[in-house]
Amino acid sequence: MASQTTPTKGQAEKAAWLAKKKAYAPQVKKQPGEVPMLYLHKGSQFHVFMDAISKAAMEQFGHSAKMFETNVKYAPSLPNKALFAFLTDPDDFKAAWTEAIKSYTKEMLNVDTQAPKMYSFIWKYLSVGSVEEIKQHKDFATFSVDKDPVALWKAIVET
């Protein structure tokens, strides 16, 4: 009969099996809409990163995220007085026109205030190697101070 301190063959095998089982950690599947980390190297799936980050940014920043596809800063369209021609009363026309201009101005300010947020949003999905490559970009000193997301995105696309 085996003593209490010495494990039997079956107990030893079970202990080894449990140790292997604890060491195994299945890969965590990405959640839908999760942005992958960008690693800039040959064979990196930049198109997957671009698609994921543009969708996540569109959800969070709205029209400002169009810069991922256009490579230019979003500028809302200026209201057109012809769109308000159906208003025959001059007071109604003036009120509607004033409201349209206020809305346009608010959108312009929104785009400008969201720029640093979008810059940091992009930055957090860059790997350490990607950050080092971006820091080597000729315009890095300028766009890092300005927190310009469009210039950062152009630098990412160029590298």
Side-chain angles (χ1 to χ4, degrees):
M1 188 173 219
S3 70
Q4 296 288 44
T5 57
T6 312
T8 63
K9 181 179 177 186
Q11 290 173 334
E13 289 174 358
K14 184 176 180 182
W17 179 80
L18 285 174
K20 286 180 186 178
K21 182 178 176 186
K22 288 180 184 176
Y24 172 74
Q27 270 191 333
V28 178
K29 291 186 178 181
K30 293 201 179 299
Q31 297 296 321
E34 186 178 346
V35 179
M37 186 70 65
L38 176 63
Y39 298 94
L40 292 175
H41 58 79
K42 295 260 188 225
S44 68
Q45 296 183 335
F46 179 74
H47 64 284
V48 174
F49 171 76
M50 185 177 122
D51 185 49
I53 199 166
S54 64
K55 286 179 182 174
M58 187 67 77
E59 185 177 303
Q60 191 169 349
F61 300 105
H63 288 295
S64 298
K66 288 182 179 178
M67 59 146 268
F68 290 105
E69 295 163 3
T70 62
N71 286 337
V72 293
K73 183 179 174 182
Y74 170 72
S77 58
L78 189 63
N80 188 351
K81 285 188 176 186
L83 295 175
F84 302 101
F86 67 92
L87 297 170
T88 55
D89 184 23
D91 291 336
D92 289 344
F93 178 81
K94 184 177 178 181
W97 177 249
T98 304
E99 197 60 37
I101 292 297
K102 283 181 186 177
S103 177
Y104 169 78
T105 306
K106 184 178 178 183
E107 184 70 21
M108 285 296 292
L109 289 172
N110 191 24
V111 168
D112 291 338
T113 57
Q114 285 184 347
K117 292 177 188 175
M118 192 175 305
Y119 181 89
S120 65
F121 177 78
I122 297 168
W123 196 261
K124 75 179 178 183
Y125 292 111
L126 299 178
S127 67
V128 174
S130 301
V131 168
E132 292 304 315
E133 285 193 43
I134 298 299
K135 285 182 177 179
Q136 302 301 319
H137 193 272
K138 61 183 180 196
D139 297 329
F140 177 75
T142 307
F143 68 76
S144 67
V145 171
D146 297 340
K147 304 297 183 221
D148 183 4
V150 177
L152 173 61
W153 185 249
K154 286 180 180 178
I156 291 170
V157 171
E158 287 176 10
T159 53

